[in-house]
Amino acid sequence: MKIALGCDHGAYEYKEIIKEMLTKEGHEIMDFGTYDTASCDYPDFAYACAKSVSRGENERGIVICGTGIGVSITANKVKGIRCALCSESVSAKLTREHNDSNMLAMGQRTIGIEVMKDIVHVWLNTPFSGEARHQARIAKIHAIEASE
Ligand code: RB5
């Protein structure tokens, strides 16, 4: 799968680990930075990732910051993005089944690396349920987005 990856300085370490894991597993990763631990602004990286997903250059996007909150807020400003902030894998499974989320946000300061790896695997491998009630709710989200 083609996956966009991005982080700020607060999550550089985990972003690199997730990038290596996904690359080894055969995914095609587009790394939007940041590329070191120097202080930077998370909106820059989350926005670049989200735009690449909204343009269809990448099927999914994964963004990581200290808490995951800043990057998720940013990504959800981009049209067509449904970014889910997850700190455990049950939410990762349900957001794929119910929300058809196309981006995942997580926090390096709030979860351990093994939990993060688990969330990523579950989120990437769970299909959207396709159920009419969920499709109708997603359509309502997009109607709200279009009306704003
Ligand atoms: C950076 O210090 C921190 O604010 C950022 O990583 C993130 O947690 C913001 O939501």
Side-chain angles (χ1 to χ4, degrees), residues 6-120:
C7 71
D8 72 356
H9 56 284
Y12 171 72
E13 184 193 335
Y14 279 19
K15 185 262 284 177
E16 289 297 304
I17 295 171
I18 296 298
K19 180 170 71 175
E20 191 185 338
M21 176 187 85
L22 292 176
T23 302
K24 275 188 187 154
E25 290 170 1
H27 296 283
E28 195 179 321
I29 305 302
M30 201 177 283
D31 183 355
F32 287 89
T34 189
Y35 303 111
D36 55 38
T37 55
S39 183
C40 62
D41 300 328
Y42 60 80
D44 299 338
F45 307 94
Y47 181 64
C49 269
K51 285 301 284 186
S52 86
V53 174
S54 75
R55 281 196 291 257
E57 291 163 5
N58 287 289
E59 193 176 333
R60 303 274 190 91
I62 298 174
V63 282
I64 318 170
C65 64
T67 58
I69 296 171
V71 287
S72 66
I73 291 171
T74 306
N76 279 313
K77 297 292 180 197
V78 175
K79 278 202 175 74
I81 295 301
R82 295 178 303 283
C83 181
L85 172 59
C86 294
S87 54
E88 34 68 37
S89 59
V90 175
S91 296
K93 179 173 182 284
L94 291 175
T95 188
R96 286 290 309 131
E97 289 176 350
H98 293 203
N99 318 119
D100 195 17
S101 52
N102 49 13
M103 288 191 67
L104 171 67
M106 297 169 292
Q108 175 170 311
R109 293 178 187 154
T110 59
I111 59 174
I113 188 61
E114 294 305 322
V115 171
M116 188 175 286
K117 287 177 180 176
D118 183 40
I119 291 168
V120 168

